[in-house]
Amino acid sequence: MAFLEVKGIKKNYGSLQVLKGIDFSLQKGEVLAIIGSSGSGKTTLLRCLNMLEIPSEGSFYLDGELIYDAVRHVKANDSELRKKRLHFGLVFQNFNLFPQYNVKQNIMLAPKLLRKKVVSAAKKDLRKKKLNVVFYPLRGSKKNFYNLLKEEKNKLLSEEKYFAEKLSSQAEELLAGVGLSDKATAYPCQLSGGQSQRVAIARALALEPDVLCFDEPTSALDPELTGEVLKVIRGLKSSSRTMIVVTHEMDFARSVADKVIFMADGVIEEEGTPEEVFGNPKSEKTKAFLLKAEDRI
Amino acid sequence: MSFAEVTLELLKGFAVTCQLFILTLVLALPLGLIIAFGSMSRFLPLKYVTKAFVWVIRGTPLMLQVIAVFYVPGLVFDLPMSSRMLAVLIAFVINYACYFSEIYRGGIESISKGQYEAGQVLGLTKTQIFFKIVLFQVIKRIIPPMSNEIITLVKDTSLARIIAVEELTRLSQDIVNVYGIVWPLFYAGAFYLVFNGLLSVLLSWVEKKMDFYKG
C-alpha cells in the first residue's frame, strides 16, 4: 500500500459538486504537484486532506492508518480530528502568520501549546496521587511516598526545561533552514511576502507533519519574491518528506514534482510523471490548459 | 459654603461616582464578551434571544432602565430593592455589557478566517485558538471604540441621581438648591473633565503599547 492513499473523495456544497471523486496515491518522499485552472477543486482537495473541509464521501489512509472515512467519521469528535490533522501540515496562500507574535514565537506556539496538554495531564495525575492518600491508607512509609512524589515532580520540571530548550534550538534550526536566522525577533508586519511565506513554511515544519501541503504558496507574492519561496520548497525535498503542492508555477511543478495531477471540474483529468503530463499530455483539456499557461508567459 | 467645604462634599460624591464607574466596568467587560458569544452562537434560539435583548437594552434610555430596575422588583414582585446603588449598578452593567458585546462582536468578526484555520491545521483546540491567537488581536482592534464607551460611562454615572444615589452630580445640585450658589455645578464638571482627561491619557497609552505590531 502506498504511503498516502486517497479514495473517492467527493465534496458537495449543497447541490454544487466541487470534488467529484478523487483517487490518487503517493509514496513516501514523493512530491506531488496539482495543477489546473481556478475553480477546478485543487484547493478544496488540499483543505479536505487537512480537514478544514469535511469530505462528503470517500476516505484516505496514511501509512496504512485510516485518517478519514466519510462513512465512519460523520460525527468525528474534535480531539480525534485534531490528532489526525497533525499528520498533515498546510502552508496557506496568504501565510496567515499570527501578527502579535514574532517570527520565532510563531514557530514555537503550536508545539508549546500541544506540549502543555501533556504536561497538564501529568500534573493532574500527580495531584490525584497526592489526594488519594487522604482516602486510602498508605502501605509504605509516608516519607517515602512524599519523596517519590517530589522526585516525579522534579523530573517533570526538568523535562519541561529540556523541552523548552530543545524547542528553541529547533526553531532556530528551522529558521536557518529557510534562511531567516536574522529575523527571529521580527514581527510578521516587518517581513516581505516572501519572508512571511518562508516563516509559514518553518511553522508548518515545526510539527513534523507526515505530509506537507502547499496551497498556491507563491500566488500572493510579487514575481521577484516567488523565487526565494520556491527555492526553499525545492530544498525541502528529501527521501522522507512527502509534499503536495498546488501551484500555478508550471516550471516549478515540472522540475520538482515526482508526480503531477491535472484537475478540471472536480475530477483528475490527467496524472503521471512531469514528463508524461507536460511533455505528452493525452487529454484535450490538459493540452488546452498547458497551451494557455505557456501563452501567459 | 466655603470652597474647602464644597470640595469635601463633591469628593464624597466623586467617590461614589468612581465606585459606580469601576464596578460597572469590571463587571460589564466580561459579561459583554459572554453576550457577544451569545449573539454569535450557531444555536439559533440563543442567538435571536440575545439579539432581541441587546436591541431592547440599546433601544431604550438608560435612565428609564435605572428607574425600572429600581422600582419593578418592589412594585411587581413585592421584593423591594434593598439598595439604590445596587439597582443603578445592575442597570449600568446590563446596559454597558450590551454595548460592549456589539464592540466585541465587531472585533471578533473582523479577524480573518485564516487565523482560525492556521490554528486548526496546527492542531490547536478552539479554546486555544481563541485565547492564544484571536483574543489579543480583537483587543487591539477594539481599544478605540471601547475608549469611547468608557468615557461615556464616566458621564453616564450622573444618571444615578434619578433614583437619588448620592453621586457627584446629585451632591453638586444639592449644594445649589440649599445654598443658592451656582459655581459648584461647574466645579463638578471639572471633576468629570479631569477624570476623563486622565482616562484618555491612560487609554491612548494602552493603544500605543499595543502598536508593536500592525494588522
Side-chain angles (χ1 to χ4, degrees):
Chain A
M1 201 179 191
F3 187 60
L4 173 66
E5 192 92 31
V6 176
K7 290 177 182 168
I9 293 286
K10 289 185 185 171
K11 176 71 190 173
N12 311 327
Y13 296 102
S15 62
L16 181 70
Q17 256 196 325
V18 180
L19 296 177
K20 300 171 183 164
I22 302 288
D23 301 83
F24 70 87
S25 62
L26 206 57
Q27 298 297 339
K28 198 176 170 87
E30 275 188 329
V31 177
L32 167 69
I34 303 179
I35 56 172
S37 40
S38 307
S40 58
K42 310 179 300 284
T43 296
T44 309
L45 177 61
L46 271 200
R47 291 170 63 84
C48 280
L49 291 178
N50 283 279
M51 284 192 271
L52 288 175
E53 308 283 349
I54 302 301
S56 320
E57 273 179 57
S59 59
F60 54 95
Y61 295 79
L62 190 80
D63 211 3
E65 183 194 348
L66 175 71
I67 302 291
Y68 177 82
D69 185 343
V71 181
R72 278 190 250 178
H73 288 87
V74 191
K75 281 186 179 166
N77 66 42
D78 202 44
S79 70
E80 208 176 319
L81 209 71
R82 249 182 304 118
K83 219 181 269 166
K84 306 245 170 177
R85 202 177 245 153
L86 281 176
H87 290 294
F88 292 85
L90 178 62
V91 174
F92 297 87
Q93 183 177 346
N94 44 10
F95 337 128
N96 290 332
L97 294 177
F98 307 132
Q100 75 269 42
Y101 293 117
N102 69 31
V103 166
K104 198 171 167 192
Q105 288 166 332
N106 257 284
I107 295 171
M108 299 199 302
L109 181 72
K112 233 184 208 162
L113 291 178
L114 293 178
R115 167 79 184 182
K116 222 177 186 174
K117 282 242 125 100
V118 182
V119 175
S120 62
K123 274 187 184 157
K124 207 172 159 190
D125 217 47
L126 268 180
R127 271 202 302 273
K128 227 185 206 166
K129 270 188 195 164
K130 226 176 193 171
L131 237 134
N132 265 342
V133 183
V134 182
F135 300 107
Y136 304 105
L138 271 179
R139 251 179 253 149
S141 86
K142 214 169 194 175
K143 208 172 157 193
N144 229 342
F145 175 79
Y146 281 112
N147 277 340
L148 265 170
L149 269 187
K150 211 171 193 178
E151 234 168 66
E152 255 179 85
K153 197 174 173 186
N154 285 337
K155 204 175 129 204
L156 204 68
L157 282 177
S158 69
E159 267 174 17
E160 214 28 32
K161 212 173 152 195
Y162 175 71
F163 174 81
E165 279 164 11
K166 212 180 81 183
L167 183 61
S168 167
S169 65
Q170 191 206 359
E172 272 155 28
E173 250 167 59
L174 284 168
L175 272 179
V178 296
L180 289 173
S181 291
D182 53 328
K183 296 284 182 191
T185 54
Y187 284 90
C189 59
Q190 299 164 318
L191 302 178
S192 73
Q195 289 169 336
S196 298
Q197 193 59 296
R198 278 143 69 194
V199 173
I201 292 171
R203 184 176 70 175
L205 286 172
L207 291 173
E208 294 162 358
D210 295 315
V211 179
L212 185 54
C213 304
F214 296 85
D215 181 14
E216 302 189 20
T218 58
S219 295
L221 301 179
D222 294 341
E224 66 258 41
L225 297 177
T226 49
E228 61 184 62
V229 172
L230 294 181
K231 200 171 132 201
V232 166
I233 298 174
R234 205 183 293 262
L236 291 177
K237 198 177 160 172
S238 72
S239 57
S240 60
R241 199 169 274 133
T242 316
M243 299 195 280
I244 302 178
V245 189
V246 167
T247 184
H248 289 299
E249 302 284 333
M250 295 305 148
D251 290 333
F252 174 72
R254 192 175 203 155
S255 61
V256 170
D258 300 297
K259 193 172 179 177
V260 177
I261 285 180
F262 170 69
M263 280 181 71
D265 299 322
V267 292
I268 294 180
E269 188 67 28
E270 182 149 1
E271 70 175 297
T273 63
E275 290 76 35
E276 285 166 0
V277 176
F278 289 106
N280 187 18
K282 292 180 194 75
S283 143
E284 287 305 315
K285 275 187 190 167
T286 319
K287 277 180 201 166
F289 175 76
L290 288 175
L291 263 179
K292 255 189 216 156
E294 258 169 50
D295 262 4
R296 235 184 5 204
I297 306 158
Chain B
M1 222 182 173
S2 75
F3 183 75
E5 280 171 314
V6 172
T7 305
L8 225 61
E9 189 70 6
L10 290 189
L11 273 176
K12 246 193 273 167
F14 185 61
V16 176
T17 295
C18 282
Q19 202 184 356
L20 188 55
F21 169 75
I22 288 166
L23 284 175
T24 304
L25 204 57
V26 167
L27 295 173
L29 281 172
L31 182 64
L33 192 57
I34 294 169
I35 295 175
F37 283 134
S39 65
M40 290 186 295
S41 170
R42 256 181 279 170
F43 179 59
L44 293 182
L46 177 64
K47 178 177 168 166
Y48 291 124
V49 167
T50 315
K51 287 208 165 210
F53 181 72
V54 172
W55 170 61
V56 170
I57 297 297
R58 291 204 307 167
T60 55
L62 176 54
M63 194 190 278
L64 198 67
Q65 291 163 17
V66 171
I67 296 168
V69 172
F70 185 57
Y71 289 109
V72 167
L75 294 176
V76 180
F77 303 107
D78 211 23
L79 286 166
M81 263 292 164
S82 54
S83 134
R84 288 164 190 274
M85 185 66 178
L86 183 66
V88 171
L89 191 62
I90 290 172
F92 272 47
V93 167
I94 291 174
N95 185 282
Y96 271 84
C98 283
Y99 277 98
F100 289 161
S101 82
E102 286 297 284
I103 295 176
Y104 281 126
R105 192 174 64 85
I108 290 171
E109 284 175 354
S110 76
I111 303 297
S112 80
K113 227 176 116 195
Q115 292 289 310
Y116 292 90
E117 288 181 347
Q120 279 175 334
V121 293
L122 292 171
L124 307 184
T125 64
K126 278 181 186 156
T127 332
Q128 285 173 331
I129 292 172
F130 183 76
F131 285 104
K132 298 284 176 179
I133 299 173
V134 176
L135 185 61
F136 192 86
Q137 298 178 45
V138 170
I139 291 173
K140 181 182 161 82
R141 286 185 195 189
I142 64 176
I143 285 179
M146 275 292 181
S147 305
N148 229 349
E149 282 303 313
I150 289 170
I151 285 168
T152 307
L153 171 62
V154 172
K155 294 172 290 174
D156 273 356
T157 53
S158 62
L159 289 174
R161 75 161 294 296
I162 203 68
I163 56 167
V165 171
E166 308 216 301
E167 47 70 58
L168 188 51
T169 301
R170 162 87 185 194
L171 289 187
S172 67
Q173 197 191 0
D174 282 353
I175 295 169
V176 174
N177 289 345
V178 174
Y179 298 94
I181 44 177
V182 175
W183 61 267
L185 281 183
F186 296 97
Y187 194 14
F191 271 91
Y192 288 111
L193 210 53
V194 170
F195 190 37
N196 266 336
L198 291 176
L199 264 181
S200 302
V201 171
L202 177 72
L203 287 167
S204 63
W205 176 78
V206 174
E207 208 176 315
K208 251 203 194 115
K209 269 273 143 178
M210 296 189 94
D211 238 7
F212 67 91
Y213 79 89
K214 287 194 184 65

